[in-house]
Amino acid sequence: GFASSQGFHILKGLLGIIVEGNIASGKTTCLEYFSRTSDIEVLTEPVSKWRNVRGHNPLALMYQDPERWGLTLQSYIQLTMLDRHTSTTEAAVRMMERSIFSAKYIFEENLFRSGKMPEVDFAVLSEWFHWITANMSIPVDLTVYLQTDPETCHRRLKQRCRETEEKGITLEYLQAIHELYEDWLVRRTSFSLPAPVLVIPADGDHQDMMLKYEENREQILAAAIF
């Protein structure tokens, strides 16, 4: 099975926080802050896995030809996020960058709505997602949403030039992702919430954000603990 009985035993008391937000909304900075100031487990998105599956790079392939490779990448993202959510840990609290939920509700949804994923691929991914969430325990107790203006994200992306895959990301794409996040976590008009949501405005610079995380630190950890 996916987890031994021992695995589920360790997970039983685990409290999960997911950090959600657009590309370049500051998720890494947030995770680094909590990793440094709290005794919790912090898990970043497993991007290196998405770039190398037995020598193949489904992430790059998806950016080149989403209609052909969207299902390939998203099914693997779903698997790796599930692995992240259900992996055993000695920590009492786990903070994760994004989740199996945003993989489905934001990125798959955007591929489908923008006409870049065939309906049959979307249907198969959806069946998998519904089976997983109906049959497996995904520990999420709090969603921290880093709410960022798409223009801010676009500017940050141009400044950081972190990965080759990011070079082609347009403002229009960031706006589409932003609207899906707002529908899900703020307007709450699209999909069910896995946990309560704490919205943190995240347009500020690095110093501003450090202060915001400091201000919200007790609330975030208390929300997870109680």
Side-chain angles (χ1 to χ4, degrees):
F2 271 99
S4 64
S5 55
Q6 180 204 6
F8 278 122
H9 174 70
I10 293 174
L11 277 174
K12 214 180 282 174
L14 177 70
L15 295 152
I17 304 166
I18 56 175
V19 178
E20 294 287 354
N22 210 333
I23 299 159
S25 59
K27 297 179 301 300
T28 305
T29 307
C30 178
L31 290 165
E32 281 169 357
Y33 169 81
F34 281 95
S35 175
R36 207 172 53 242
T37 60
S38 322
D39 185 22
I40 64 173
E41 182 184 52
V42 170
L43 295 177
T44 56
E45 279 187 311
V47 180
S48 59
K49 289 189 173 188
W50 307 340
R51 285 209 181 94
N52 185 359
V53 188
R54 303 186 184 188
H56 301 277
N57 184 342
L59 186 64
L61 288 169
M62 201 284 298
Y63 275 110
Q64 288 159 24
D65 186 353
E67 210 162 329
R68 168 63 184 86
W69 298 107
L71 173 66
T72 306
L73 176 68
Q74 289 300 147
S75 61
Y76 191 56
I77 287 177
Q78 194 159 261
L79 172 66
T80 54
M81 293 311 268
L82 178 62
D83 181 55
R84 279 277 199 272
H85 282 296
T86 59
S87 61
T88 57
T89 178
E90 296 299 319
V93 179
R94 168 184 288 157
M95 183 177 272
M96 265 178 67
E97 181 180 8
R98 295 214 182 103
S99 62
I100 197 170
F101 301 99
S102 51
K104 173 81 180 78
Y105 300 153
I106 307 298
F107 294 94
E108 280 172 33
E109 188 68 23
N110 184 61
L111 276 170
F112 178 57
R113 285 195 195 179
S114 62
K116 293 187 178 115
M117 177 176 279
E119 202 162 329
V120 62
D121 290 6
F122 185 72
V124 168
L125 275 169
S126 299
E127 287 294 308
W128 261 113
F129 175 80
H130 293 310
W131 187 91
I132 289 164
T133 50
N135 291 281
M136 302 193 70
S137 169
I138 312 284
V140 179
D141 300 280
L142 178 70
T143 302
V144 176
Y145 173 42
L146 302 181
Q147 188 179 45
T148 320
D149 191 288
E151 277 85 3
T152 305
C153 295
H154 196 237
R155 195 181 64 248
R156 288 175 183 168
L157 269 179
K158 281 199 276 200
Q159 284 165 354
R160 79 183 187 189
C161 287
R162 188 192 288 169
E163 286 106 10
T164 49
E165 292 94 354
E166 287 186 349
K167 291 209 181 355
I169 292 173
T170 62
L171 179 58
E172 290 71 28
Y173 180 77
L174 294 168
Q175 284 165 336
I177 297 298
H178 175 73
E179 289 306 317
L180 285 165
Y181 261 121
E182 293 288 304
D183 282 348
W184 178 36
L185 298 178
V186 179
R187 295 186 280 263
R188 305 184 186 190
T189 53
S190 56
F191 303 104
S192 60
L193 299 171
V197 180
L198 172 66
V199 179
I200 299 181
D203 282 329
D205 63 20
H206 191 272
Q207 213 171 350
D208 287 338
M209 294 318 299
M210 287 295 131
L211 290 169
K212 281 217 175 79
Y213 298 140
E214 189 60 47
E215 281 164 25
N216 286 283
R217 187 168 172 273
E218 293 305 316
Q219 192 188 343
I220 288 168
L221 297 176
I225 289 157
F226 301 108

